[in-house]
Amino acid sequence: MGALKKALPWVVALAALALALSRAAQDGLWYDEAYTARLARLPLGRALTGAMQDVHPPTWTVIAWLFARLPLSIELALRLPAALSYAGLAGLLTRRAPLAGLAILFHLPLLDLAAQGRAYSTLALALVAMVHLVPQGRPLLTGLLAGFAASLHGTGPLLVAVLLFPSLPWHSIRPRELGMMAAAALLPQLWWMPAFIEQAMRYAGEPWYVNSTAWDWLVISDGQVGLAALAVAVMVGLPGAARPLLPALALALTLALAEVLGAGMEIRKLGALFPGLILLGLAQGNRPLWATGALALGLMFSNRTVDDRPDLREAAMRVRALPAMPVLAWYAGEMRAYHPATLWSGPTPMDTARRLTELFAAQEIQCAAIVNLWDTAPEEALPPGLEVRAWAEVTGLDVRLIGTEACSVDSLPAGWHVGSACKDPQLREWVCEGREAQ
C-alpha cells in the first residue's frame, strides 16, 4: 500500500504529461508562441533584449531559449516546459490528495494552456507550490519560488503578492523570516523591473486588453457543470478548508476588482490558475476525499469550449498551395516561422490597402494573399480594381486571395472557396460582423 501511495503521484504526472504532449502535437504555433520562438532562436543576449521590449518579464523567454537548444521540433521544444509544469502540478496535488491530482487532468482550459508554448501552466505550478510551502516554515525557498512566479508573466508580481498575503501566518512569522523571504523574492528581479514597468505602462492602453465576459470567468470551473460541482465541493470542504481557500478567494476578488476598474485581466487565461489553488485548499480541509471527489466528478462532465488558436502552420500550408505570389501578414515576423517570404501588411486596414496598392503598382502581379486576424482588412478598404477573389478555411485566421479580375480562381487548391466569406450566410455573422452580404 505504501509503495502504491509513493508511485501514484508519478503515475498521475505521467498521465498529465502524455495528455499535454498529445495536444501539443496537434497544431502549429500561433502568434504569441511564434514570437517567443523567434526570440528563442536568437543568441541569448539578443533574446533578452527582445524580451525586455515585451510586457512580460524575461524568465519565460530564457526557459524557451534553453529548450530551443534541444534536438526537437520548435513546436515541441517550445511547448515541452509547459507540459512538464502541468505534469508537476498534477503530481504535487496527487501527493496532497489523490483525487485532487485526478481532477486537474479533467480541467480542459488548463490542459489547453499546458499544450502551448506559454507560461501559464508553469505559473500555475509555481503559485501552488509557493502557497503549499508557506506553512512549512521555509522562507528562503518560498521567497525564491515567489520571485520565480513573479518573473514569468506580466501579472506575476500582482498574483504573488495577492496569494502570499492571506497565506502567511502573520501571528507567528518572525521579521527575520519575512525579510529573508522578501529579499529572496525581490533581489533577483531588480535587473528587469525598470524595463518591465516601462512596457507595462505602454501596454496598459492597448485595445486587446478588454474586460472579461461572464463566459470568460467560467474557465475557472471549466464550464457550468464544473461551477455547480465547485460549489458543492466548497460546501462539503467547509469549515475545515475555509482558511486554505483564502488565497484563491483573494485572487478572485482582486481580479474582479481590477475588471471593475477597467483593467482587462484576460480571465479566460488567468482563470486557469485557480483550479490548482482551489484543489490544494480543499485537500487541506476536513473532508478532502469528498470535496476533491465532487470537483473531479464535475470537471469530468464539464463542457466549456476551449478556444481555437490561430494556426500559422495551417495558414502557411494554404498559401503555399497557391501559385507563387506576395503574402502579406499583420504579424509578418511571426508568420515567417512557416512562410519566410511573408511581407508586413501594416496594422490597420488603410495600411494594408496602401501596401497592396504599392505591390500591384510596382510589380506585374494579379494576385496577393493576406493572412490576418479576422476583420483587420475589411473589403471596403481595398484599393480600386482589387477584390476578394477567394478565401481559405484556417483556424482562427482571415486568409484571403486578393487580386484583379485577371487573378484566376478556376482551379483553387483544397480548402479554398471562390468569392468572399462575407457572402456565406453561415459565416457572415462572425466573420464579417455588422455587414450585409455583398
Side-chain angles (χ1 to χ4, degrees):
M1 190 67 177
L4 178 62
K5 186 176 180 180
K6 290 182 179 179
L8 189 59
W10 293 100
V11 172
V12 175
L14 287 174
L17 182 61
L19 283 172
L21 290 180
S22 66
R23 292 180 68 90
Q26 293 176 8
D27 305 310
L29 303 176
W30 66 287
Y31 286 117
D32 287 1
E33 289 179 302
Y35 177 75
T36 304
R38 187 149 54 96
L39 293 178
R41 286 168 163 161
L42 297 172
L44 183 57
R46 291 179 59 193
L48 284 175
T49 300
M52 300 292 271
Q53 297 171 8
D54 192 17
V55 69
H56 297 298
T59 295
W60 183 253
T61 298
V62 174
I63 293 173
W65 187 90
L66 291 171
F67 275 78
R69 313 272 85 73
L70 297 176
L72 302 170
S73 69
I74 190 61
E75 290 96 344
L76 182 56
L78 204 66
R79 293 164 176 170
L80 184 56
L84 289 170
S85 298
Y86 178 61
L89 177 60
L92 174 60
L93 290 173
T94 304
R95 289 187 61 189
R96 294 296 307 175
L99 283 177
L102 185 65
I104 212 71
L105 299 183
F106 298 120
H107 194 273
L108 295 182
L110 180 58
L111 175 57
D112 183 54
L113 290 171
Q116 299 182 35
R118 303 282 282 145
Y120 293 99
S121 60
T122 306
L123 181 60
L125 171 61
L127 293 174
V128 169
M130 180 190 74
V131 172
H132 175 64
L133 275 176
V134 167
Q136 298 183 21
R138 303 169 72 179
L140 181 59
L141 186 55
T142 302
L144 290 173
L145 258 176
F148 176 70
S151 68
L152 282 171
H153 190 270
T155 62
L158 172 66
L159 300 177
V160 166
V162 168
L163 291 176
L164 274 180
F165 186 80
S167 302
L168 289 171
W170 294 101
H171 63 284
S172 60
I173 192 168
R174 292 176 293 181
R176 180 175 174 275
E177 293 174 331
L178 199 59
M180 185 186 304
M181 187 185 305
L186 293 175
L187 291 180
Q189 322 306 325
L190 294 180
W191 67 276
W192 57 261
M193 274 292 181
F196 167 71
I197 293 172
E198 180 183 349
Q199 293 300 319
M201 293 176 66
R202 182 171 70 87
Y203 272 81
E206 293 292 345
W208 52 77
Y209 291 107
V210 298
N211 277 14
S212 304
T213 65
W215 177 251
D216 292 330
W217 282 90
L218 283 178
V219 72
I220 293 174
S221 60
D222 194 7
Q224 296 168 323
V225 175
L227 180 62
L230 176 59
V232 170
V234 170
M235 286 189 291
V236 169
L238 293 176
R243 180 172 174 77
L245 285 172
L246 279 180
L249 178 60
L251 181 58
L253 291 175
T254 300
L255 295 183
L257 179 61
E259 292 277 330
V260 169
L261 295 176
M265 299 300 292
E266 292 193 299
I267 301 300
R268 60 191 176 87
K269 298 176 184 176
L270 292 179
L273 304 178
F274 281 86
L277 295 167
I278 293 170
L279 287 164
L280 180 67
L282 294 174
Q284 297 177 67
N286 292 336
R287 287 172 282 187
L289 178 66
W290 292 101
T292 57
L295 186 51
L297 191 63
L299 294 178
M300 186 186 302
F301 293 101
S302 56
N303 56 1
R304 187 184 190 277
T305 303
V306 177
D307 296 332
D308 291 328
R309 300 190 302 275
D311 192 331
L312 298 180
R313 181 173 59 190
E314 185 182 357
M317 289 172 57
R318 292 283 182 259
V319 298
R320 279 201 301 264
L322 296 169
M325 65 181 66
V327 179
L328 282 72
W330 184 356
Y331 297 96
E334 283 71 17
M335 186 63 193
R336 287 182 190 129
Y338 295 106
H339 199 290
T342 302
L343 304 173
W344 167 240
S345 71
T348 69
M350 297 311 298
D351 290 329
T352 305
R354 184 173 62 254
R355 292 284 288 134
L356 286 169
T357 301
E358 293 169 353
L359 276 175
F360 280 80
Q363 304 180 36
E364 294 183 3
I365 58 173
Q366 307 300 331
C367 305
I370 288 183
V371 179
N372 269 358
L373 299 175
W374 280 113
D375 213 19
T376 53
E379 295 174 30
E380 56 264 28
L382 291 176
L386 298 182
E387 62 181 358
V388 177
R389 301 291 290 164
W391 63 281
E393 298 178 42
V394 175
T395 304
L397 287 172
D398 178 5
V399 180
R400 287 181 284 172
L401 179 62
I402 308 293
T404 66
E405 290 185 359
C407 179
S408 175
V409 290
D410 292 337
S411 55
L412 289 170
W416 283 89
H417 304 276
V418 175
S420 167
C422 296
K423 298 178 183 179
D424 187 313
Q426 294 183 339
L427 294 176
R428 186 169 63 238
E429 289 186 5
W430 65 275
V431 170
C432 311
E433 183 179 353
R435 241 183 276 145
E436 295 296 326
Q438 302 294 316

